[in-house]
Amino acid sequence: MMDCKKALTETDGELEAAVDWLRKSGLAQAARKAGRTAAEGLIGMATAPGKAAMVEINAETDFVARNADFQAVVREVARIALDCEGDLAVSRDSLDQTMVERERGVLAEQARAEGKPENIIEKMIEGRLRKFFEEVVLLEQTWVIDGETRVKSVLESLAGTLDTSVAVSDFVRYQLGEGIERESKDFAAEVAAQLGS
């Protein structure tokens, strides 16, 4: 309310100019907040039989980390990381760009094989890349609670509610036996060998 009054005062009562003033002020506030370091927060963990996931979500203060809404979001993001299949990156920017370019090339070839005109191919690639990002980027995952919102939108909303920066800095997923090469045995040959001796 006070910001509205100040905006109207600053713009000599011009409504449109006051709206613009508020928008510019909001962007300035957001820019100031973006520069603040988010070094406090929580590590959330989710487990299921044979697998586990841990996520680190940072905020500016330990006070925010004690907030029940923040804690609930951390737990849910850990659960989402646990349930995802395949390798994930935190954000689009943290993805290996050679992998993204390789995917872009494959998608372009698929579109050309379908006989699509060149002016349509780029739009198809962008749409399919969005789908690709939804599969491999944690912040692009669908929020389980409503099935529509993306994780990044939930974090942005939480940051606005708590008036602080909130960011996923890292996560790790473990799968039982992952990375261990197992000796493959032919059970039938093993039984036959034992019966033959």
Side-chain angles (χ1 to χ4, degrees), residues 5-171:
K5 183 178 179 181
K6 185 175 180 182
L8 287 168
T9 304
E10 291 287 326
T11 60
D12 297 324
E14 292 183 36
L15 191 58
E16 292 297 320
V19 169
D20 291 343
W21 187 90
L22 284 170
R23 290 177 68 199
K24 289 175 187 173
S25 174
L27 291 175
Q29 285 178 335
R32 279 195 306 274
K33 287 180 186 177
R36 293 192 261 180
T37 303
E40 298 293 330
L42 291 174
I43 294 176
M45 187 166 133
T47 61
K51 59 184 181 176
M54 291 177 18
V55 296
E56 178 182 351
I57 301 185
N58 296 113
E60 292 175 22
T61 66
D62 61 338
F63 176 76
V64 170
R66 291 190 297 254
N67 179 286
D69 292 337
F70 184 84
Q71 293 173 357
V73 167
V74 171
R75 281 192 301 272
E76 196 59 39
V77 172
R79 197 170 301 123
I80 290 169
L82 177 71
D83 292 338
C84 293
E85 297 297 326
D87 294 330
L88 287 177
V90 171
S91 66
R92 288 182 184 197
D93 295 336
S94 64
L95 271 176
D96 179 9
Q97 291 306 303
T98 57
M99 179 175 74
V100 173
E101 289 307 314
R102 185 174 63 239
E103 187 68 19
R104 183 182 293 280
V106 168
L107 294 172
E109 289 305 315
Q110 286 175 348
R112 285 187 187 97
E114 293 173 11
K116 303 293 182 187
E118 286 296 321
N119 62 338
I120 301 294
I121 289 176
E122 191 58 36
K123 292 178 183 175
M124 289 178 65
I125 291 170
E126 291 309 313
R128 290 178 179 176
L129 269 179
R130 251 191 320 278
K131 181 71 174 154
F132 171 73
F133 291 139
E134 289 171 10
E135 293 172 0
V136 300
V137 175
L138 181 61
L139 294 178
E140 300 292 331
Q141 297 291 310
T142 302
W143 189 247
V144 178
I145 294 182
D146 68 6
E148 294 177 10
T149 310
R150 301 279 171 234
V151 170
K152 70 178 176 184
S153 298
V154 171
L155 294 177
E156 289 167 357
S157 175
L158 180 65
T161 301
L162 299 175
D163 194 33
T164 186
S165 297
V166 175
V168 176
S169 60
D170 202 4
F171 75 97

Side-chain angles (χ1 to χ4, degrees), residues 163-183:
D163 194 33
T164 186
S165 297
V166 175
V168 176
S169 60
D170 202 4
F171 75 97
V172 176
R173 286 183 33 232
Y174 295 100
Q175 180 78 34
L176 186 63
E178 186 176 45
I180 299 173
E181 288 189 36
R182 296 179 184 206
E183 183 181 330

